[in-house]
Amino acid sequence: LIHFYKRICGYPPFYSYTGKPISPGMKKRIRSGQYEFPKPEWSNVSTECKTLIKNCLKTAPEERPTIDQVIENRWISQYDVVPATPLVTSDVLREDTEQWQDVQQGMSLALQEMRVEDQGMTLKNPSDSKSSLLKKRMKNMPASAMTATPIMEEISVDMDESRTHL
């Protein structure tokens, strides 16, 4: 429900105070569920909406509502049309449009730092393994299961195409 939060006020519930896209303090606030509903952005937002967001942002997944419970929630189900609640989302989004480029570049850099370089994959031969668990399992395995079965490659032939080349 971070998207609900962001749609209502124009910014996410968790952000970095240092200007970095992701900071240690931000990660700590996410893990501990520390966020607020600051004024003036949240002044006109109903208690039902805030309660739903609080429930969905609980740190323990088993305490969060299911999608069915969210859909059945009073804040979602009580309206047939969207109520005219004055929100400041558009004002907040318009304030710092010149900084969007910096934010996007910062997020890109943060994602690049998080990515692990592809170092290739090396498969070890199981018979060279020194794993005691593997040795124990191999010992209990029937001999027929230890014979290698060749992998056959399937070849698909288009019958119409093969007739035209005959």
Side-chain angles (χ1 to χ4, degrees), residues 4-143:
F4 273 164
Y5 187 104
K6 195 172 180 179
R7 292 258 184 221
I8 291 169
C9 70
Y11 52 84
F14 309 105
Y15 48 88
S16 171
Y17 294 123
T18 63
K20 294 180 180 178
I22 298 174
S23 67
M26 179 182 170
K27 289 178 186 177
K28 182 179 177 183
R29 286 189 298 283
I30 291 170
R31 282 192 294 270
S32 62
Q34 293 177 341
Y35 61 93
E36 298 171 349
F37 296 110
K39 294 179 181 179
E41 296 89 354
W42 289 90
S43 299
N44 296 320
V45 178
S46 71
T47 304
E48 290 91 1
C49 174
K50 292 176 190 174
T51 301
L52 177 60
I53 290 172
K54 283 179 191 176
N55 288 336
C56 290
L57 291 179
K58 288 188 176 184
T59 56
E62 65 276 0
E63 293 178 11
R64 295 180 201 144
T66 64
I67 187 65
D68 290 330
Q69 291 169 327
V70 170
I71 291 169
E72 293 167 3
N73 180 278
R74 185 176 176 335
W75 182 66
I76 302 275
S77 65
Q78 71 179 327
Y79 300 108
D80 291 329
V81 293
V82 177
T85 304
L87 299 176
V88 294
T89 309
S90 58
D91 297 336
V92 171
L93 292 175
R94 270 190 238 116
E95 281 177 2
D96 296 319
T97 52
E98 68 274 356
Q99 292 182 1
W100 279 113
Q101 184 76 19
D102 294 339
V103 170
Q104 287 175 334
Q105 287 175 345
M107 288 300 285
S108 256
L109 289 172
L111 288 171
Q112 284 175 359
E113 289 175 11
M114 287 187 247
R115 288 190 182 109
V116 177
E117 289 292 323
D118 182 20
Q119 298 170 359
M121 182 173 25
T122 306
L123 296 177
K124 296 179 181 178
N125 186 341
S127 59
D128 296 339
S129 176
K130 294 177 178 47
S131 166
S132 57
L133 178 61
L134 178 62
K135 289 177 185 175
K136 183 178 177 181
R137 288 184 176 168
M138 295 294 269
K139 181 179 161 186
N140 295 332
M141 193 177 281

